[in-house]
PDB file of all heavy atoms in Angstrom:
ATOM      1  N   PHE A  33     -10.344 -55.489  32.007  1.00 91.00           N
ATOM      2  CA  PHE A  33     -11.256 -54.393  32.219  1.00 91.00           C
ATOM      3  C   PHE A  33     -12.474 -54.940  33.015  1.00 91.00           C
ATOM      4  O   PHE A  33     -13.025 -55.979  32.623  1.00 91.00           O
ATOM      5  CB  PHE A  33     -11.687 -53.819  30.901  1.00 91.00           C
ATOM      6  CG  PHE A  33     -10.641 -52.943  30.351  1.00 91.00           C
ATOM      7  CD1 PHE A  33      -9.840 -53.368  29.304  1.00 91.00           C
ATOM      8  CD2 PHE A  33     -10.462 -51.683  30.800  1.00 91.00           C
ATOM      9  CE1 PHE A  33      -8.847 -52.523  28.668  1.00 91.00           C
ATOM     10  CE2 PHE A  33      -9.504 -50.732  30.197  1.00 91.00           C
ATOM     11  CZ  PHE A  33      -8.646 -51.269  29.207  1.00 91.00           C
ATOM     12  N   VAL A  35     -16.614 -54.295  33.996  1.00 91.00           N
ATOM     13  CA  VAL A  35     -17.768 -53.729  33.323  1.00 91.00           C
ATOM     14  C   VAL A  35     -17.853 -52.184  33.642  1.00 91.00           C
ATOM     15  O   VAL A  35     -18.271 -51.440  32.812  1.00 91.00           O
ATOM     16  CB  VAL A  35     -19.023 -54.484  33.647  1.00 91.00           C
ATOM     17  CG1 VAL A  35     -19.487 -54.316  35.088  1.00 91.00           C
ATOM     18  CG2 VAL A  35     -20.140 -54.140  32.671  1.00 91.00           C
ATOM     19  N   ARG A  38     -15.498 -50.469  31.407  1.00 93.00           N
ATOM     20  CA  ARG A  38     -15.956 -50.427  30.100  1.00 93.00           C
ATOM     21  C   ARG A  38     -17.120 -49.412  29.891  1.00 93.00           C
ATOM     22  O   ARG A  38     -17.081 -48.692  28.886  1.00 93.00           O
ATOM     23  CB  ARG A  38     -16.425 -51.850  29.678  1.00 93.00           C
ATOM     24  CG  ARG A  38     -15.270 -52.748  29.550  1.00 93.00           C
ATOM     25  CD  ARG A  38     -15.850 -54.168  29.074  1.00 93.00           C
ATOM     26  NE  ARG A  38     -14.735 -54.945  28.553  1.00 93.00           N
ATOM     27  CZ  ARG A  38     -14.231 -56.008  29.152  1.00 93.00           C
ATOM     28  NH1 ARG A  38     -14.785 -56.546  30.276  1.00 93.00           N
ATOM     29  NH2 ARG A  38     -13.212 -56.683  28.592  1.00 93.00           N
ATOM     30  N   HIS A  72     -13.907 -54.285  20.465  1.00 86.00           N
ATOM     31  CA  HIS A  72     -15.307 -54.528  20.748  1.00 86.00           C
ATOM     32  C   HIS A  72     -16.213 -53.542  19.996  1.00 86.00           C
ATOM     33  O   HIS A  72     -17.379 -53.475  20.275  1.00 86.00           O
ATOM     34  CB  HIS A  72     -15.622 -54.431  22.219  1.00 86.00           C
ATOM     35  CG  HIS A  72     -14.940 -55.563  22.935  1.00 86.00           C
ATOM     36  ND1 HIS A  72     -15.232 -56.961  22.793  1.00 86.00           N
ATOM     37  CD2 HIS A  72     -13.862 -55.569  23.778  1.00 86.00           C
ATOM     38  CE1 HIS A  72     -14.388 -57.628  23.545  1.00 86.00           C
ATOM     39  NE2 HIS A  72     -13.555 -56.777  24.258  1.00 86.00           N
ATOM     40  N   SER A  81     -21.747 -54.021  27.769  1.00 81.00           N
ATOM     41  CA  SER A  81     -22.316 -55.304  28.102  1.00 81.00           C
ATOM     42  C   SER A  81     -21.829 -56.388  27.192  1.00 81.00           C
ATOM     43  O   SER A  81     -21.564 -57.481  27.587  1.00 81.00           O
ATOM     44  CB  SER A  81     -23.736 -55.213  28.264  1.00 81.00           C
ATOM     45  OG  SER A  81     -24.292 -54.851  26.970  1.00 81.00           O
ATOM     46  N   HIS A  82     -21.846 -56.134  25.829  1.00 84.00           N
ATOM     47  CA  HIS A  82     -21.442 -57.092  24.869  1.00 84.00           C
ATOM     48  C   HIS A  82     -19.866 -57.285  25.026  1.00 84.00           C
ATOM     49  O   HIS A  82     -19.452 -58.503  24.894  1.00 84.00           O
ATOM     50  CB  HIS A  82     -21.620 -56.638  23.486  1.00 84.00           C
ATOM     51  CG  HIS A  82     -23.180 -56.728  23.112  1.00 84.00           C
ATOM     52  ND1 HIS A  82     -23.914 -55.634  22.882  1.00 84.00           N
ATOM     53  CD2 HIS A  82     -23.887 -57.853  22.917  1.00 84.00           C
ATOM     54  CE1 HIS A  82     -25.144 -56.030  22.521  1.00 84.00           C
ATOM     55  NE2 HIS A  82     -25.144 -57.430  22.642  1.00 84.00           N
ATOM     56  N   ALA A  83     -19.087 -56.350  25.364  1.00 88.00           N
ATOM     57  CA  ALA A  83     -17.713 -56.533  25.586  1.00 88.00           C
ATOM     58  C   ALA A  83     -17.474 -57.379  26.802  1.00 88.00           C
ATOM     59  O   ALA A  83     -16.604 -58.368  26.861  1.00 88.00           O
ATOM     60  CB  ALA A  83     -17.022 -55.146  25.839  1.00 88.00           C
ATOM     61  N   GLN A  84     -18.232 -57.223  27.951  1.00 85.00           N
ATOM     62  CA  GLN A  84     -18.115 -58.037  29.105  1.00 85.00           C
ATOM     63  C   GLN A  84     -18.499 -59.451  28.837  1.00 85.00           C
ATOM     64  O   GLN A  84     -17.868 -60.425  29.254  1.00 85.00           O
ATOM     65  CB  GLN A  84     -18.924 -57.444  30.196  1.00 85.00           C
ATOM     66  CG  GLN A  84     -18.727 -58.073  31.563  1.00 85.00           C
ATOM     67  CD  GLN A  84     -17.325 -57.690  32.138  1.00 85.00           C
ATOM     68  OE1 GLN A  84     -16.637 -56.744  31.659  1.00 85.00           O
ATOM     69  NE2 GLN A  84     -16.925 -58.463  33.118  1.00 85.00           N
ATOM     70  N   GLU A  85     -19.583 -59.698  27.978  1.00 85.00           N
ATOM     71  CA  GLU A  85     -20.055 -60.894  27.693  1.00 85.00           C
ATOM     72  C   GLU A  85     -19.028 -61.742  26.825  1.00 85.00           C
ATOM     73  O   GLU A  85     -18.733 -62.911  27.013  1.00 85.00           O
ATOM     74  CB  GLU A  85     -21.376 -60.858  26.874  1.00 85.00           C
ATOM     75  CG  GLU A  85     -21.966 -62.187  26.498  1.00 85.00           C
ATOM     76  CD  GLU A  85     -23.380 -61.984  25.834  1.00 85.00           C
ATOM     77  OE1 GLU A  85     -23.977 -61.001  25.861  1.00 85.00           O
ATOM     78  OE2 GLU A  85     -23.707 -62.931  25.076  1.00 85.00           O
ATOM     79  N   SER A  86     -18.381 -61.034  25.910  1.00 85.00           N
ATOM     80  CA  SER A  86     -17.321 -61.573  25.020  1.00 85.00           C
ATOM     81  C   SER A  86     -16.184 -62.058  25.946  1.00 85.00           C
ATOM     82  O   SER A  86     -15.564 -63.082  25.711  1.00 85.00           O
ATOM     83  CB  SER A  86     -16.846 -60.673  24.029  1.00 85.00           C
ATOM     84  OG  SER A  86     -17.845 -60.345  23.164  1.00 85.00           O
ATOM     85  N   TYR A  87     -15.890 -61.246  26.958  1.00 80.00           N
ATOM     86  CA  TYR A  87     -14.782 -61.612  27.830  1.00 80.00           C
ATOM     87  C   TYR A  87     -15.089 -62.908  28.563  1.00 80.00           C
ATOM     88  O   TYR A  87     -14.227 -63.763  28.685  1.00 80.00           O
ATOM     89  CB  TYR A  87     -14.548 -60.405  28.825  1.00 80.00           C
ATOM     90  CG  TYR A  87     -13.777 -60.897  30.055  1.00 80.00           C
ATOM     91  CD1 TYR A  87     -12.421 -61.112  30.024  1.00 80.00           C
ATOM     92  CD2 TYR A  87     -14.385 -60.872  31.273  1.00 80.00           C
ATOM     93  CE1 TYR A  87     -11.725 -61.521  31.062  1.00 80.00           C
ATOM     94  CE2 TYR A  87     -13.689 -61.218  32.425  1.00 80.00           C
ATOM     95  CZ  TYR A  87     -12.408 -61.588  32.335  1.00 80.00           C
ATOM     96  OH  TYR A  87     -11.731 -61.937  33.446  1.00 80.00           O
ATOM     97  N   HIS A  88     -16.342 -62.941  29.052  1.00 78.00           N
ATOM     98  CA  HIS A  88     -16.679 -64.161  29.920  1.00 78.00           C
ATOM     99  C   HIS A  88     -16.767 -65.443  28.991  1.00 78.00           C
ATOM    100  O   HIS A  88     -16.297 -66.501  29.427  1.00 78.00           O
ATOM    101  CB  HIS A  88     -18.030 -63.982  30.559  1.00 78.00           C
ATOM    102  CG  HIS A  88     -18.024 -63.073  31.757  1.00 78.00           C
ATOM    103  ND1 HIS A  88     -17.320 -63.481  32.898  1.00 78.00           N
ATOM    104  CD2 HIS A  88     -18.536 -61.902  32.061  1.00 78.00           C
ATOM    105  CE1 HIS A  88     -17.461 -62.452  33.869  1.00 78.00           C
ATOM    106  NE2 HIS A  88     -18.153 -61.546  33.262  1.00 78.00           N
ATOM    107  N   ILE A  89     -17.220 -65.298  27.754  1.00 82.00           N
ATOM    108  CA  ILE A  89     -17.226 -66.370  26.869  1.00 82.00           C
ATOM    109  C   ILE A  89     -15.797 -66.850  26.543  1.00 82.00           C
ATOM    110  O   ILE A  89     -15.498 -68.051  26.523  1.00 82.00           O
ATOM    111  CB  ILE A  89     -17.975 -66.070  25.625  1.00 82.00           C
ATOM    112  CG1 ILE A  89     -19.447 -65.948  25.930  1.00 82.00           C
ATOM    113  CG2 ILE A  89     -17.673 -67.088  24.440  1.00 82.00           C
ATOM    114  CD1 ILE A  89     -20.281 -65.357  24.787  1.00 82.00           C
ATOM    115  N   ALA A  90     -14.820 -65.873  26.341  1.00 82.00           N
ATOM    116  CA  ALA A  90     -13.539 -66.257  25.978  1.00 82.00           C
ATOM    117  C   ALA A  90     -12.810 -66.928  27.111  1.00 82.00           C
ATOM    118  O   ALA A  90     -11.942 -67.792  26.877  1.00 82.00           O
ATOM    119  CB  ALA A  90     -12.798 -64.959  25.469  1.00 82.00           C
ATOM    120  N   LYS A  91     -13.063 -66.590  28.306  1.00 77.00           N
ATOM    121  CA  LYS A  91     -12.338 -67.115  29.433  1.00 77.00           C
ATOM    122  C   LYS A  91     -12.951 -68.405  30.017  1.00 77.00           C
ATOM    123  O   LYS A  91     -12.440 -69.084  30.859  1.00 77.00           O
ATOM    124  CB  LYS A  91     -12.121 -66.086  30.565  1.00 77.00           C
ATOM    125  CG  LYS A  91     -13.360 -65.844  31.383  1.00 77.00           C
ATOM    126  CD  LYS A  91     -12.965 -65.066  32.578  1.00 77.00           C
ATOM    127  CE  LYS A  91     -14.032 -65.144  33.624  1.00 77.00           C
ATOM    128  NZ  LYS A  91     -13.634 -65.382  34.963  1.00 77.00           N
ATOM    129  N   SER A  92     -14.263 -68.725  29.585  1.00 72.00           N
ATOM    130  CA  SER A  92     -14.955 -69.794  30.158  1.00 72.00           C
ATOM    131  C   SER A  92     -14.231 -71.128  30.067  1.00 72.00           C
ATOM    132  O   SER A  92     -14.382 -72.030  31.078  1.00 72.00           O
ATOM    133  CB  SER A  92     -16.384 -69.944  29.551  1.00 72.00           C
ATOM    134  OG  SER A  92     -16.330 -70.182  28.150  1.00 72.00           O
ATOM    135  N   PRO A  93     -13.456 -71.533  29.019  1.00 69.00           N
ATOM    136  CA  PRO A  93     -12.830 -72.872  29.036  1.00 69.00           C
ATOM    137  C   PRO A  93     -11.571 -72.959  29.948  1.00 69.00           C
ATOM    138  O   PRO A  93     -11.030 -73.980  30.133  1.00 69.00           O
ATOM    139  CB  PRO A  93     -12.434 -73.115  27.600  1.00 69.00           C
ATOM    140  CG  PRO A  93     -12.534 -71.807  26.923  1.00 69.00           C
ATOM    141  CD  PRO A  93     -13.344 -70.895  27.777  1.00 69.00           C
ATOM    142  N   TYR A  94     -11.277 -71.875  30.608  1.00 69.00           N
ATOM    143  CA  TYR A  94     -10.034 -71.814  31.396  1.00 69.00           C
ATOM    144  C   TYR A  94     -10.390 -71.673  32.839  1.00 69.00           C
ATOM    145  O   TYR A  94     -11.515 -71.422  33.217  1.00 69.00           O
ATOM    146  CB  TYR A  94      -9.111 -70.606  30.949  1.00 69.00           C
ATOM    147  CG  TYR A  94      -8.804 -70.590  29.546  1.00 69.00           C
ATOM    148  CD1 TYR A  94      -9.417 -69.844  28.570  1.00 69.00           C
ATOM    149  CD2 TYR A  94      -7.748 -71.510  29.109  1.00 69.00           C
ATOM    150  CE1 TYR A  94      -9.055 -69.954  27.292  1.00 69.00           C
ATOM    151  CE2 TYR A  94      -7.473 -71.574  27.801  1.00 69.00           C
ATOM    152  CZ  TYR A  94      -8.062 -70.772  26.911  1.00 69.00           C
ATOM    153  OH  TYR A  94      -7.748 -70.837  25.491  1.00 69.00           O
TER     154      TYR A  94
END
Side-chain angles (χ1 to χ4, degrees):
F33 282 101
V35 70
R38 290 183 164 112
H72 298 292
S81 60
H82 285 112
Q84 191 71 15
E85 184 179 339
S86 294
Y87 162 70
H88 284 295
I89 290 169
K91 78 168 194 132
S92 64
Y94 302 102

